[in-house]
Amino acid sequence: MKSFHWDGNLKIRLVGETIFNLFYWMYFPFMAVYFSQSLGLGLAGLLMILPPIISLVFNLIGGYLADSIGRRPLMLAGAAIQTLVFGVFAMSASPWLDYVAFLAIGMGGHYINLQVKRW
């Protein structure tokens, strides 16, 4: 593979995916601890059940949208969602808003990562 001969869009996407995944995996392992301290153990346990279920639903929706409107618009929408929600997450003072941002970051990531599987 000659990485210097890749398309410019692919290089930009590779850098963007690296940054998004770096940020996501820097905070993701600590979310359960944060939610358990701020919302309580029982509620945090119930709330952490939702992300896999939402992932399943948004993977199905993302596949349908990719087939109907195309991969590129969906990847751009996913990147925009993740960028905006990372900002909301960084500025939030509420654990509930953090949880919604946590779910939305995962949703945006599924739109992007769904397309990686098709390449």
Side-chain angles (χ1 to χ4, degrees):
M1 277 174 81
K2 298 179 181 181
S3 61
F4 294 109
H5 299 293
W6 287 350
D7 182 40
N9 290 332
L10 185 60
K11 289 178 186 177
I12 291 170
R13 181 151 183 259
L14 182 63
V15 170
E17 282 291 313
T18 302
I19 292 170
F20 279 135
N21 283 320
L22 180 69
F23 286 159
Y24 184 76
W25 288 105
M26 282 172 57
Y27 81 88
F28 175 74
F30 304 104
M31 292 309 294
V33 175
Y34 169 68
F35 290 137
S36 66
Q37 288 179 350
S38 60
L39 301 173
L41 289 173
L43 184 58
L46 289 174
L47 289 177
M48 295 310 281
I49 292 172
L50 284 179
I53 295 169
I54 290 174
S55 295
L56 174 73
V57 171
F58 278 99
N59 272 328
L60 295 172
I61 293 170
Y64 172 75
L65 289 174
D67 291 340
S68 62
I69 65 173
R71 285 186 282 183
R72 183 179 171 100
L74 197 61
M75 289 184 339
L76 291 174
I81 289 169
Q82 279 190 320
T83 302
L84 292 173
V85 178
F86 265 121
V88 169
F89 185 76
M91 305 228 180
S92 170
S94 165
W96 288 105
L97 188 56
D98 287 339
Y99 183 72
V100 171
F102 175 66
L103 293 177
I105 289 170
M107 179 190 70
H110 286 297
Y111 282 156
I112 293 172
N113 293 331
L114 180 67
Q115 304 317 310
V116 172
K117 296 175 189 173
R118 291 181 171 213
W119 280 15

